[in-house]
């Protein structure tokens, strides 16, 4: 609790995005919406609160990832709720609960919004962060795996991030994975004592996660581990071959990464991550995604295939900023109305007229004319409309062009024409 004699600051791990920063965020969000639309995806919004159970279902035995990070709470009605850590679970719920399973499939959907994870906050990792989430639900076609990869890449290209590395793997499905996990366990068992405590536990609860462990002492054992790509069932093999063929046909470069996995049972087949090309090992991805054909069922709906990705807007905007992506910060207002003394109603009326064609702010502060001009200049105003008592009577303003310094008298009614 904040001490009562101190001003109240923001909650740990969250941050404000200020107007100057919002300009770059808007570029990233608008590009996301534009690219999604270009690929035939429609916008959906789901609540940021969901039943804790919806998020925790399908987590499997290894509650590692999902549970520890879940921002959960009990509401006043004693309901166990969670702030969504990602959008997919909620979108799949909405797909069934709100009838999107009807009509032509797949449903192509996107969402831009806040996600919450109760992680230890650090640079680039926040407890509230934002994602551009894209989902194609209701089709098992591997062409859609490639489509969502293309949506992610196109988006990143459009915000000026063209040096990318796409990492790709498959993790099989409910048919071939169990036998593979058996092999993986059998391979790792003799080394159990040499693994770090987390991996010793994973060996029993979630052996796939052994492959993406980053702890140095576990690394030497990876290279000899059996690979899932050598252990796929016919269906997964065919899907994998088609994904690779379609990526080649689209001239999309990728790196196969046999250690790229997902810890949750409902993920199937394709998994991918997109990094800045210059990124080394530990750096976080800009976007990551894959197929989740088991998710709907784990939520209690009918089995429904789906594939998608989530891109991190915090990370993407940070990179856009550090790469010098130019965003011309828009002026707060194009026109500032500056009136003498108590001409408040008149100033407001001038603003109302000008606002039909332009963005207009009124300076209501009790300060000198010189200071008001200075403030208008700092706001980036292109025009200042000056209003004195005598001018108000004649319903005119002195309109000053801030760039050239030129000024002249304009009647209120002609303002829209002059400013347009
Ligand atoms: P994930 O849902 O974990 O696959 O993450 C998808 C993307 O969201 C990542 O590639 C990151 O860019 C971003 N992201 C995930 N967690 C955080 C976080 N705590 N803070 C900021 N960005 C995040």
């Amino acid at each position: 609790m904040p001490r009562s004699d101190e001003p109240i600051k923001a909650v740990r791990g969250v941050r404000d995005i200020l107007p100057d920063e919002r300009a770059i965020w808007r570029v990233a969000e608008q590009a996301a919406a534009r690219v999604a639309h270009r690929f035939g995806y429609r916008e959906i919004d789901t609540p940021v609160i969901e039943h804790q159970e919806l998020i925790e279902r399908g987590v499997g035995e290894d509650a590692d990832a999902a549970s520890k990070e879940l921002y959960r709470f009990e509401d006043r009605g004693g309901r166990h709720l969670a702030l969504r850590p990602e959008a997919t679970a909620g979108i799949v719920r909405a797909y069934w609960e709100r009838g999107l399973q009807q009509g032509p499939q797949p449903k192509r959907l996107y969402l831009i919004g806040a996600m919450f994870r109760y992680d230890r906050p650090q640079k680039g990792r926040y407890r509230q962060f934002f994602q551009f989430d894209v989902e194609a639900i209701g089709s098992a076609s591997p062409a859609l795996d490639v489509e969502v990869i293309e949506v992610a890449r196109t988006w990143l290209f459009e915000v000026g991030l063209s040096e990318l590395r796409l990492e790709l793997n498959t993790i099989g499905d409910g048919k071939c994975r169990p036998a593979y996990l058996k092999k993986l366990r059998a391979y790792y068992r003799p080394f159990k004592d040499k693994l770090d405590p987390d991996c010793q536990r994973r060996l029993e609860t979630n052996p796939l996660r052994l492959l993406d462990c980053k702890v140095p002492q576990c690394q030497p054992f990876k290279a000899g581990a059996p690979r899932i790509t050598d252990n796929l069932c016919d269906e997964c093999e065919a899907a994998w071959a088609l994904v690779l063929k379609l990526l080649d046909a689209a001239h999309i470069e990728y790196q196969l990464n046999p250690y790229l996995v997902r810890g949750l049972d409902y993920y199937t087949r394709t998994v991918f991550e997109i990094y800045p090309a210059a990124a080394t090992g530990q750096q976080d991805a800009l976007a990551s995604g894959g197929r989740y054909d088991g998710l709907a069922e784990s939520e209690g709906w009918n089995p429904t295939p789906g594939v998608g990705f989530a891109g991190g807007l915090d990370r993407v905007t940070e990179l856009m900023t550090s790469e010098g992506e130019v965003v011309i910060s828009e002026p707060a207002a194009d026109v500032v109305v500056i009136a003498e003394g108590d001409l408040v109603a008149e100033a407001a009326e001038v603003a109302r007229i000008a606002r039909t064609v332009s963005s207009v702010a009124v300076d209501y502060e009790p300060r000198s004319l010189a200071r008001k001009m200075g403030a208008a200049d700092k706001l980036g105003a292109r025009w200042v409309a000056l209003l004195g008592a005598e001018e108000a009577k004649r319903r005119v303003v002195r309109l000053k062009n801030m760039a050239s310094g030129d000024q002249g008298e304009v009647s209120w009614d002609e303002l829209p024409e002059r400013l347009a």
Side-chain angles (χ1 to χ4, degrees):
M1 284 288 281
R3 283 200 2 234
S4 59
D5 57 351
E6 279 182 9
I8 300 165
K9 305 255 177 73
V11 170
R12 177 170 153 82
V14 304
R15 63 181 179 148
D16 307 298
I17 299 161
L18 302 179
D20 277 350
E21 302 168 285
R22 275 301 302 165
I24 213 154
W25 279 73
R26 196 171 323 116
V27 171
E29 289 162 357
Q30 287 176 348
R34 194 169 61 236
V35 169
H37 175 72
R38 207 181 298 149
F39 280 79
Y41 287 68
R42 299 178 70 204
E43 188 167 23
I44 183 170
D45 263 325
T46 64
V48 296
I49 48 175
E50 295 280 359
H51 288 289
Q52 193 179 317
E53 219 190 335
L54 178 88
I55 314 292
E56 287 186 337
R57 285 259 194 116
V59 159
E61 289 168 59
D62 187 53
D64 245 26
S67 272
K68 232 174 35 193
E69 290 184 359
L70 203 56
Y71 216 125
R72 63 180 134 209
F73 62 98
E74 201 178 303
D75 78 358
R76 294 176 187 220
R79 294 172 201 90
H80 293 276
L81 304 181
L83 299 178
R84 63 182 178 196
E86 45 95 45
T88 316
I91 293 178
V92 168
R93 174 195 55 66
Y95 170 91
W96 277 99
E97 189 176 346
R98 303 298 307 280
L100 296 179
Q101 84 283 8
Q102 290 159 13
Q105 302 295 319
K107 286 291 186 294
R108 291 178 163 92
L109 304 165
Y110 78 93
L111 179 152
I112 298 171
M115 309 295 154
F116 304 83
R117 290 183 197 174
Y118 204 80
D119 237 353
R120 199 172 64 79
Q122 50 189 295
K123 186 171 161 25
R125 252 179 198 262
Y126 307 101
R127 287 189 172 168
Q128 173 178 318
F129 59 98
F130 293 82
Q131 286 187 337
F132 168 37
D133 184 85
V134 169
E135 311 289 352
I137 306 176
S139 163
S141 170
L144 288 167
D145 303 26
V146 176
E147 180 175 288
V148 298
I149 289 173
E150 218 174 326
V151 175
R153 272 168 42 100
T154 310
W155 171 54
L156 293 168
F157 283 166
E158 292 221 353
V159 298
L161 306 177
S162 54
E163 303 286 313
L164 302 174
R165 184 176 78 239
L166 167 64
E167 296 194 2
L168 194 67
N169 196 19
T170 176
I171 54 171
D173 66 3
K175 202 167 152 201
C176 48
R177 196 156 53 210
Y180 168 70
L181 294 182
K182 242 187 190 166
K183 280 193 188 177
L184 195 61
R185 276 201 186 98
Y187 166 80
Y188 266 103
R189 272 218 179 93
F191 314 124
K192 186 168 177 178
D193 295 346
K194 299 200 176 77
L195 301 174
D196 86 303
D198 274 346
C199 279
Q200 292 190 11
R201 190 172 41 79
R202 285 184 191 126
L203 178 53
E204 304 309 328
T205 58
N206 194 351
L208 212 51
R209 291 290 312 279
L210 290 165
L211 296 174
D212 73 351
C213 167
K214 307 280 190 300
V215 177
Q217 79 187 81
C218 303
Q219 303 310 306
F221 310 109
K222 279 190 189 173
R227 295 201 168 177
I228 182 116
T229 39
D230 300 326
N231 291 274
L232 297 172
C233 59
D234 290 346
E235 293 84 349
C236 285
E237 179 75 50
W240 181 230
L242 187 52
V243 165
L244 300 184
K245 186 175 145 193
L246 292 172
L247 286 170
D248 290 338
H251 306 290
I252 297 175
E253 281 183 32
Y254 53 85
Q255 276 180 16
L256 297 181
N257 177 355
Y259 310 125
L260 184 59
V261 297
R262 292 279 181 266
L264 306 184
D265 290 348
Y266 56 74
Y267 287 111
T268 52
R269 298 186 178 166
T270 310
V271 288
F272 68 91
E273 292 189 341
I274 301 178
Y275 292 86
T280 49
Q282 301 284 316
Q283 194 161 345
D284 276 310
L286 297 172
S288 72
R291 192 161 264 292
Y292 47 85
D293 293 350
L295 176 59
E297 212 177 347
S298 79
E299 291 183 7
W301 309 107
N302 292 352
T304 315
V307 64
F309 79 87
L313 280 158
D314 299 78
R315 207 135 304 151
V316 164
T317 51
E318 199 179 298
L319 203 60
M320 288 164 71
T321 308
S322 70
E323 298 211 337
E325 178 73 9
V326 186
V327 176
I328 296 164
S329 183
E330 281 171 26
D334 273 338
V335 184
V336 173
V337 181
I338 294 177
E340 208 174 73
D342 54 2
L343 298 171
V344 174
E346 290 82 352
E349 189 179 345
V350 168
R352 222 167 279 128
I353 293 168
R355 224 168 255 139
T356 55
V357 297
S358 198
S359 72
V360 187
V362 183
D363 191 335
Y364 291 116
E365 303 315 306
R367 55 188 165 199
S368 70
L369 178 65
R371 285 183 157 249
K372 288 188 182 190
M373 290 301 289
D377 199 33
K378 280 206 183 104
L379 280 178
R382 291 168 50 214
W383 302 95
V384 165
L386 291 154
L387 188 62
E390 190 270 328
E391 280 132 346
K393 269 195 208 116
R394 291 191 290 121
R395 291 177 66 85
V396 298
V397 292
R398 260 184 300 132
L399 189 65
K400 177 169 179 182
N401 181 321
M402 295 296 275
S404 65
D406 295 346
Q407 51 178 310
E409 216 171 77
V410 181
S411 80
W412 295 1
D413 296 335
E414 278 169 24
L415 268 175
E417 208 174 301
R418 283 292 297 276
L419 296 170

